[in-house]
Amino acid sequence: MQSYWEAVEYIDHIGKYGQHPGIENATKLLAALNHPEQGLKIIHVAGTNGKGSVCAFLADMLTAQGYRTGLFISPHLVDLRERIQIDREMIGMENFYNYFLTVKKVVEQLGQQGYSGITYFDYLLMIALCWYKDRAVDYVVVETGLGGRLDSTNALKNPMLCIITSISLDHTELLGDTISKIAAEKAGIIKQGVPLIYCADEPDVRSVIAQTAKEMGAPCIGIGRNHCKRLMMEDADNIKNPARLRFSFCLPQKDCLPLTHPGSPFTDTFRDGIHEILTVNSPASYQAENAAIAYTAALWIALLSPRPNKETEQTKTEDMGLRATLKDALANSVWEGRFEQILPNCYLDGAHNADGIRMLLASLSPIAAGKKVTLLFTAVKEKDTDEMIRELCESGLFCRYLVTTVEGARAIAPEQLKETFLRYTDAPVISYMTPKEAFLRGLQDVKVDIESPATDRAVNTMDSILLCAGSLYLVGIIKEFLLKKN
């Protein structure tokens, strides 16, 4: 091994699924690496949709308070190192390479003992934890890779807080074919006595998670869409910043009770619950719930520090300052590939399952009113592609569909996608063999010339929109293509 790039190539050729559950692999590696996770304050995040956004929002709010914050997420869009960050800065190539060598040595030692099957994800998690340990970070926000109960990240036994975001049908071949089964897998991250904040929208999910939390003695707060109300467009801040989502977040005191028992840090500060006006740096309505979950988590973490027995003017001032810091950080937090405007009238969204598509359509609808919208779409094999396409077509939002494919064994042929679209729409459906071809065709509809300097691409006032969705792989390919162009 002579370079970072050789390390990346090595990891890329490791299977993403091993012969042992991820939690078993990670447990072996952590012990062999002398437990780099020990002493780290870990926030563990699982879910189907929204967990990446929650991780990013929370990490930015922690960093804004002056904490050195590790962030471990997946997948990446362009650069593998996006998965491993401190204060939203990717790990350097040299550091990545050096920690890779450390992990590789341990993997080889385990192999000599007869243990094999360490995966791509296991390598990255161990590289991240070793780096965080050596950099003495204050907090680490860790996103699960797949599921929860058997995920590699679940080998981290002592998180300070667990979070479960929206759950829907996805990866059914691995996690189960019902929402309750998938919820049970995600609920596998809940630890004995460790507080939990979770998305409480779906009754079946709420039942499974609440019951698991009760069995584990884990105090929990459920947050749902009913706690978030988008402010009207007449609101002054919305007029000033149309690309931002501004909403009220109201969590009644009765819903805070699990974390407001006598002596709890929430008791004095939020005796009447949480009532805030929050702003997200995105027009996507689905980010309101994610932001509310992240904001509540940030408050809970911040208020764990020792506080006076009695409320004073000083503590009131500190609380107001804390909340202002968190709200400002949230309003400026950027999470790429989630209803992201990359060019005038051109958006990328990583929605890659039916529930994600439904949430995306709800966000697109007010923006698309009166406009012609072209959809660029692809998906991978294990997804419920038929349901995703049906939702897209029945929305009535699109005048044209462009379909393409991504590389690899999980790819679906463009013609196969085209056939599915034609079952649900009479609109034109055009297939392309590469995302680049399809994207360039889509840009013609919004009349954006990417050959011109970026500074010359003025805001387009045309009544046309290009939306690219269906796969985070597609988002990454388009972003990488634009980076090279710029």
Side-chain angles (χ1 to χ4, degrees):
M1 293 283 169
Q2 297 299 317
S3 71
Y4 161 77
W5 296 109
E6 288 179 322
V8 171
E9 184 178 4
Y10 183 93
I11 292 174
D12 279 343
H13 283 85
I14 297 173
K16 286 186 167 56
Y17 303 104
Q19 61 195 57
H20 308 285
I23 190 172
E24 181 181 323
N25 284 348
T27 299
K28 291 273 189 184
L29 286 169
L30 289 171
L33 289 164
N34 296 317
H35 290 285
E37 83 285 9
Q38 290 182 355
L40 295 176
K41 295 178 181 177
I42 293 170
I43 300 98
H44 196 189
V45 184
T48 304
N49 294 313
K51 59 184 184 293
S53 296
V54 168
C55 287
F57 294 158
L58 179 54
D60 282 342
M61 285 187 278
L62 291 171
T63 299
Q65 296 172 73
Y67 296 118
R68 195 163 173 76
T69 308
L71 176 63
F72 179 78
I73 51 94
S74 64
H76 62 280
L77 297 178
V78 177
D79 191 321
L80 179 66
R81 295 176 299 131
E82 295 169 27
R83 296 171 179 247
I84 306 171
Q85 304 177 29
I86 293 178
D87 296 340
R88 296 303 295 274
E89 293 288 333
M90 296 186 297
I91 185 172
M93 291 183 178
E94 184 177 355
N95 276 323
F96 185 98
Y97 177 63
N98 289 336
Y99 287 109
F100 162 76
L101 292 179
T102 298
V103 176
K104 185 172 182 290
K105 181 178 179 180
V106 165
V107 170
E108 290 170 346
Q109 291 171 349
L110 289 174
Q112 291 170 3
Q113 298 167 18
Y115 191 90
S116 60
I118 303 299
T119 69
Y120 173 100
F121 188 84
D122 299 326
Y123 259 91
L124 296 176
L125 177 61
M126 295 304 130
I127 289 169
L129 292 170
C130 290
W131 187 47
Y132 299 148
K133 182 73 170 182
D134 287 349
R135 293 301 180 274
V137 298
D138 298 300
Y139 294 101
V140 181
V141 182
V142 176
E143 178 185 357
T144 57
L146 180 63
R149 181 176 63 92
L150 297 177
D151 189 71
S152 298
T153 61
N154 211 28
L156 306 174
K157 296 300 183 184
N158 298 297
M160 65 178 301
L161 176 67
C162 294
I163 300 173
I164 300 177
T165 64
S166 172
I167 293 176
S168 60
L169 291 174
D170 199 8
H171 296 292
T172 53
E173 75 286 0
L174 297 173
L175 303 180
D177 57 1
T178 68
I179 198 77
S180 295
K181 289 178 181 177
I182 294 175
E185 289 297 316
K186 308 288 186 180
I189 73 164
I190 300 173
K191 303 295 188 298
Q192 189 73 41
V194 176
L196 167 73
I197 299 170
Y198 71 98
C199 176
D201 283 330
E202 297 295 331
D204 289 346
V205 170
R206 188 166 62 243
S207 175
V208 170
I209 292 178
Q211 181 59 35
T212 304
K214 181 179 179 181
E215 292 169 359
M216 299 297 289
C220 61
I221 287 180
I223 295 173
R225 299 186 193 101
N226 59 307
H227 296 118
C228 305
K229 182 180 179 181
R230 184 169 189 155
L231 298 183
M232 295 297 99
M233 290 305 294
E234 289 77 12
D235 176 80
D237 193 74
N238 279 331
I239 294 172
K240 184 179 178 182
N241 298 295
R244 290 188 172 196
L245 171 69
R246 188 167 161 84
F247 68 100
S248 64
F249 171 42
C250 299
L251 190 68
Q253 193 269 343
K254 64 180 178 64
D255 292 338
C256 288
L257 280 175
L259 294 188
T260 55
H261 56 79
S264 162
F266 261 62
T267 304
D268 289 336
T269 305
F270 297 107
R271 60 168 57 92
D272 297 320
I274 303 175
H275 304 276
E276 299 283 14
I277 302 297
L278 300 177
T279 302
V280 183
N281 194 17
S282 166
S285 57
Y286 61 76
Q287 290 293 28
E289 188 174 76
N290 296 328
I293 289 172
Y295 181 78
T296 304
L299 283 175
W300 187 87
I301 293 166
L303 295 173
L304 279 177
S305 57
R307 297 165 60 78
N309 292 327
K310 294 182 179 180
E311 189 175 39
T312 66
E313 289 303 317
Q314 180 181 351
T315 59
K316 288 181 182 178
T317 301
E318 289 172 352
D319 289 337
M320 291 176 63
L322 165 65
R323 290 156 66 184
T325 297
L326 298 182
K327 288 193 282 187
D328 184 64
L330 179 62
N332 290 288
S333 183
V334 176
W335 188 229
E336 295 185 58
R338 278 68 177 181
F339 209 61
E340 177 188 6
Q341 185 170 0
I342 53 167
L343 291 167
N345 294 342
C346 180
Y347 296 85
L348 297 181
D349 194 278
H352 54 274
N353 53 51
D355 194 52
I357 290 293
R358 283 188 284 270
M359 290 188 283
L360 169 60
L361 291 172
S363 296
L364 175 65
S365 183
I367 294 173
K371 297 184 178 182
K372 296 179 180 179
V373 187
T374 297
L375 175 70
L376 168 53
F377 179 88
T378 194
V380 292
K381 283 182 178 177
E382 70 271 15
K383 302 298 180 180
D384 189 351
T385 309
D386 189 89
E387 179 66 10
M388 292 167 68
I389 292 173
R390 185 185 66 79
E391 291 279 354
L392 289 163
C393 294
E394 291 183 356
S395 72
L397 293 174
F398 305 100
C399 67
R400 181 182 292 107
Y401 300 92
L402 313 176
V403 295
T404 186
T405 189
V406 294
E407 295 180 356
R410 302 168 68 195
I412 301 177
E415 287 300 320
Q416 183 179 339
L417 290 173
K418 180 177 179 177
E419 289 177 10
T420 305
F421 269 98
L422 290 174
R423 290 206 302 268
Y424 296 106
T425 183
D426 294 326
V429 183
I430 310 167
S431 62
Y432 294 89
M433 287 309 299
T434 69
K436 177 183 174 182
E437 290 177 290
F439 182 58
L440 289 173
R441 172 61 184 82
L443 289 180
Q444 293 177 18
D445 286 349
V446 292
K447 292 188 166 46
V448 173
D449 181 10
I450 59 171
E451 297 299 333
S452 64
T455 54
D456 292 342
R457 296 172 197 158
V459 174
N460 193 327
T461 57
M462 282 189 58
D463 290 332
S464 301
I465 290 176
L466 172 63
L467 173 67
C468 310
S471 170
L472 281 168
Y473 292 111
L474 175 65
V475 171
I477 290 168
I478 292 173
K479 290 185 77 72
E480 185 172 21
F481 172 64
L482 288 176
L483 280 172
K484 291 177 180 177
K485 281 290 181 182
N486 290 331

